[in-house]
């Protein structure tokens, strides 16, 4: 059966792959982003009804993070607008072990619409499509939380789970906790990427305070420094988030993608051999 599906964040790390997966299954997809027509802008609720018009289902990836102030109100507003537009099902991308995100999950779960919650661990792609790309390119990665054992997950797996959830009713009312197949420390990540691409990458442990100061010196806005501080301390520092789950396999019937495979696929794109971009 063909559905009309709005993919909010449909040009982003997970959303782009959700769009591809749905199109492969002959679904009618509309991208929800500021650059699409009709545009979807989280900060302008007036844009939401047009983006939601005629849609049966919605994939929600909130930008920048469900933990930030204002996210709860945005999810409340979007859920109400989706209901008013006749949407039948919501699939929410959430963060594993983020207490703030759980309040947003509750809004979706109590909406009266069909829903699936996809709680993801930290993404592999943070090292190739996000804030950790630049240090990899510079050959020097300085990070706090050296003891954190992180079950990094691939955005391809998150998207594949989201596509399944959007298409099949057996996932209604379910919460999936999506991780990769093993944990890695930041130092192990850097060692594996360095070995995978044959480049020297130095790893330095810094305290959270030093890391915050580094961000400040680099001109990172204060609210983003707050967010990173929260994500490092609260999310990575929580032992409950250092556990591997088998939810990817449960939903997809195949094991989660290993970090080594992510490195091989990413290395082939050349992203780790480019000059350092002006801004990432
Ligand atoms: N990174 C992680 O390790 C991690 C782990 C767990 C959960 N998460 C969750 O993942 C979510 C982010 O998903 P993602 O990484 O797939 O997205 P992303 O790569 O951060 O992509 C951003 C997407 O949102 C759109 N966007 C940016 N600003 C927007 C705005 N003001 N209004 C409307 N659209 C906007 C962008 O399109 P345009 O620029 O064209 O508008 C793009 O499609 C967050 O909620 C975060 O909590 C992340």
């Amino acid at each position: 059966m063909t559905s009309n599906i709005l993919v909010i964040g449909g040009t982003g790390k997970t959303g782009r792959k959700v769009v591809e997966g749905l199109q492969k299954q002959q679904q009618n997809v509309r991208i929800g982003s500021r650059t699409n027509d009709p545009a979807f802008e989280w900060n302008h609720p007036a844009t939401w009804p047009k983006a939601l018009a005629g849609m049966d289902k919605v994939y929600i990836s909130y930008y920048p993070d469900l933990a930030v102030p204002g996210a709860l109100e945005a999810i409340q507003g979007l859920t109400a607008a989706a209901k008013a537009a006749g949407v039948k099902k919501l699939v929410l991308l959430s963060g594993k072990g983020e207490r703030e995100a759980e309040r947003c999950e509750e809004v979706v779960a109590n909406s009266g619409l069909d829903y699936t919650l996809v709680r993801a661990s930290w993404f592999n792609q943070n090292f190739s499509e996000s804030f950790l790309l630049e240090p990899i390119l510079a050959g020097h990665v300085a990070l706090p939380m050296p003891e954190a054992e992180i079950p990094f997950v691939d955005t391809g797996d998150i998207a594949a789970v989201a596509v399944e959830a959007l298409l099949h009713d057996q996932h209604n009312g379910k919460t999936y906790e999506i991780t990769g197949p093993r944990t890695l420390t930041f130092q192990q990540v850097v060692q594996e990427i360095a070995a995978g691409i044959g480049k020297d990458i130095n790893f330095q442990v810094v305290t959270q305070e030093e890391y915050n100061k580094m961000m400040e010196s680099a001109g990172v806005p204060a609210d983003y420094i707050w967010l990173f501080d929260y994500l490092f301390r609260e999310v990575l520092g929580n032992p409950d988030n250092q556990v591997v789950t088998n939810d990817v396999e449960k939903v997809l019937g195949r094991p989660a993608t290993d970090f080594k495979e992510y490195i091989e696929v990413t290395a082939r794109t050349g992203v780790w051999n480019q000059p350092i971009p002006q801004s990432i």
Side-chain angles (χ1 to χ4, degrees):
M1 204 182 113
T2 302
S3 297
N4 297 323
I5 306 179
L6 174 67
V7 178
I8 299 177
T11 56
K13 292 190 286 302
T14 61
R16 196 178 73 235
K17 293 173 182 174
V18 173
V19 169
E20 284 166 13
L22 290 172
Q23 285 174 338
K24 273 194 197 139
Q25 303 280 334
Q26 284 75 49
Q27 302 300 306
N28 293 326
V29 179
R30 177 182 291 164
I31 290 174
S33 94
R34 295 166 299 180
T35 47
N36 198 48
D37 185 14
F40 177 93
E41 159 66 89
W42 279 112
N43 300 315
H44 297 294
T47 62
W48 303 351
K50 253 195 185 163
L52 289 162
M55 295 295 110
D56 305 306
K57 302 173 182 181
V58 182
Y59 172 73
I60 309 169
S61 69
Y62 181 74
Y63 187 87
D65 196 285
L66 290 176
V68 304
L72 178 63
E73 292 74 13
I75 297 299
Q76 282 166 337
L78 182 84
T79 302
K83 228 171 153 171
V87 168
K88 301 277 179 297
K89 177 163 183 171
L90 304 173
V91 173
L92 177 70
L93 172 63
S94 183
K96 188 168 176 290
E98 286 187 37
R99 274 176 289 126
E100 272 69 11
E102 283 170 25
R103 297 193 301 152
C104 298
E105 293 176 2
E106 279 165 25
V107 172
V108 169
N110 295 326
S111 64
L113 303 179
D114 290 337
Y115 72 92
T116 307
L117 305 174
V118 180
R119 288 182 183 157
S121 183
W122 269 43
F123 301 172
N124 295 347
Q125 279 73 8
N126 289 338
F127 296 94
S128 47
E129 299 179 36
S130 189
F131 71 109
L132 293 169
L133 171 58
E134 190 173 334
I136 295 285
L137 294 178
H140 180 82
V141 179
L143 286 171
M145 304 299 296
E147 66 285 358
E149 300 268 347
I150 308 157
F152 290 101
V153 64
D154 201 88
T155 54
D157 290 347
I158 300 168
V161 168
V163 166
E164 281 296 307
L166 284 161
L167 295 184
H168 302 294
D169 286 348
Q170 76 232 43
H171 305 294
N172 291 356
K174 300 266 171 65
T175 298
Y176 294 118
E177 301 218 318
I178 305 293
T179 73
R182 63 188 166 114
T183 61
L184 291 116
T185 63
F186 282 128
Q187 178 155 27
Q188 287 169 328
V189 163
V190 170
Q191 282 166 348
E192 291 201 12
I193 294 177
I197 60 176
K199 178 176 161 178
D200 283 338
I201 308 174
N202 172 39
F203 179 73
Q204 181 192 357
V205 176
V206 292
T207 64
Q208 187 64 53
E209 289 69 27
E210 287 167 337
Y211 190 69
N212 292 353
K213 285 220 175 76
M214 281 163 48
M215 286 193 286
E216 211 179 304
S217 311
V220 176
D223 44 358
Y224 276 86
I225 296 178
W226 174 87
L227 175 61
F228 283 112
D229 185 276
Y230 169 86
L231 292 174
F232 278 99
R233 282 186 212 266
E234 297 281 326
V235 179
L236 298 188
N238 180 348
D240 290 346
N241 295 333
Q242 303 185 9
V243 175
V244 168
T245 70
N246 70 345
D247 280 7
V248 168
E249 187 151 8
K250 219 158 62 185
V251 176
L252 302 180
R254 55 134 175 105
T257 303
D258 192 80
F259 200 78
K260 283 229 164 16
E261 192 180 333
Y262 155 72
I263 293 173
E264 282 162 22
V265 170
T266 307
R268 281 201 292 276
T269 68
V271 70
W272 285 324
N273 292 325
Q274 61 174 319
I276 301 175
Q278 290 304 300
S279 76
I280 293 176

